[in-house]
Amino acid sequence: MVQFRFLGILMAVAIRTKKPLDLHLAPWVWKQLCSMPLGGRDLEEVDLLTYRTLQGILHLENSGITEDNFHVMIPLDSFIAHSADGRLVPVVPGGQNISLTFANRTEYVDRALDYRLHEMDSQVAAVREGMSTIIPVPLLSLLTALQLEQLVCGLPEVSVEMLKKLVRYRDITESHQLIGWFWQSLEEFTNEERVLFLRFVSGRSRLPSNPADITQKFQIIKVDRVRSSQ
């Protein structure tokens, strides 16, 4: 929990300093940080197999599964489910002692879905606690999940158009043929290669979502080299 709290501090620092972090978190984490409700589609985004399994238990129409053959066809016999780390855990207190039946399958699916969507609540709360030491966390509810992610992580894509806003020319103009070749080469780079270029010239691997937040620019300087003759 101390590490999750520290992660929250780092995320808040990234927002304050406008220096994005290269984080890859599940989409629903950003929603939880913004106090947005979660639903089945959020589980589908990160664990498609579990989501489809729960939906298969819930919707038995045209499946040939009836109350008589339910226990033969469904490989679960109690209110347990796989957690995010693969362990079989009860989805309600004492769930291992509650039989899963055709009649109570809807309740099981609801409980299993609720467990999976909220099993990381304490970790998310620790992240929010860390963020609260630097920024007013209640204001996060005014943001969408995508807006918060972009504030913390910036833009995953490093476009040439954005790079052109970060450059200063010295002893050379934008219309110079060399500059044209330079930008043409960057256009042919993959995004991963442009990230490496950005890291080389600026020391960062992500750009803020708002170009106005970028204060440090890199320079392109024309250098005339004259070879001396012996």
Side-chain angles (χ1 to χ4, degrees):
M1 287 304 170
V2 172
Q3 291 177 329
F4 281 108
R5 188 176 183 276
F6 181 66
L7 174 61
I9 294 174
L10 290 180
M11 292 166 68
V13 169
I15 295 174
R16 280 291 193 192
T17 61
K18 300 178 175 58
K19 300 291 179 64
L21 298 173
D22 189 6
L23 290 178
H24 302 273
L25 303 180
W28 80 28
V29 173
W30 300 108
K31 293 182 70 173
Q32 283 187 293
L33 290 173
C34 293
S35 300
M36 300 174 65
L38 302 178
R41 295 299 178 186
D42 296 303
L43 177 61
E44 184 180 17
E45 285 186 321
V46 298
D47 192 342
L48 181 60
L49 178 60
T50 294
Y51 177 77
R52 287 184 173 175
T53 298
L54 293 177
Q55 291 303 301
I57 294 174
L58 182 62
H59 301 290
L60 299 179
E61 304 85 358
N62 305 317
S63 67
I65 299 178
T66 65
E67 187 170 1
D68 294 331
N69 64 8
F70 181 80
H71 285 295
V72 176
M73 304 298 293
I74 301 298
L76 288 171
D77 58 6
S78 61
F79 273 46
I80 59 174
H82 284 97
S83 63
D85 60 2
R87 295 177 297 112
L88 274 175
V89 296
V91 296
V92 294
Q96 67 275 13
N97 300 317
I98 302 174
S99 297
L100 171 61
T101 65
F102 184 89
N104 67 11
R105 71 185 192 281
T106 299
E107 181 186 358
Y108 167 78
V109 170
D110 289 342
R111 297 295 187 124
L113 182 61
D114 184 72
Y115 171 83
R116 284 303 310 272
L117 290 177
H118 296 285
E119 63 178 320
M120 302 297 178
D121 281 2
S122 57
Q123 288 85 349
V124 172
V127 173
R128 282 174 62 92
E129 181 185 349
M131 296 178 76
S132 69
T133 62
I134 296 177
I135 62 174
V137 166
L139 294 182
L140 296 182
S141 61
L142 301 177
L143 302 174
T144 66
L146 179 59
Q147 288 171 333
L148 177 58
E149 182 179 6
Q150 289 184 345
L151 279 176
V152 175
C153 301
L155 299 174
E157 296 290 327
V158 177
S159 69
V160 171
E161 289 306 311
M162 183 68 85
L163 289 173
K164 287 181 178 179
K165 298 176 182 178
L166 301 179
V167 69
R168 279 199 298 260
Y169 300 104
R170 180 176 166 186
D171 300 328
I172 195 170
T173 63
E174 187 177 2
S175 59
H176 197 285
Q177 187 179 35
L178 287 174
I179 300 301
W181 289 341
F182 171 76
W183 292 122
Q184 182 181 349
S185 297
L186 281 177
E187 288 279 7
E188 295 171 358
F189 279 16
T190 65
N191 185 66
E192 289 74 18
E193 290 170 332
R194 283 194 291 271
V195 168
L196 292 175
F197 170 79
L198 177 65
R199 188 179 299 169
F200 174 73
V201 298
S202 69
R204 64 168 75 198
S205 57
R206 290 284 186 111
L207 290 173
S209 56
N210 183 3
D213 293 334
I214 304 171
T215 56
Q216 185 179 5
K217 296 187 176 183
F218 68 93
Q219 289 191 97
I220 296 180
I221 306 172
K222 183 182 179 183
V223 178
D224 292 318
R225 296 183 180 273
V226 179
R227 180 179 298 177
S228 59
S229 57
Q230 297 294 333

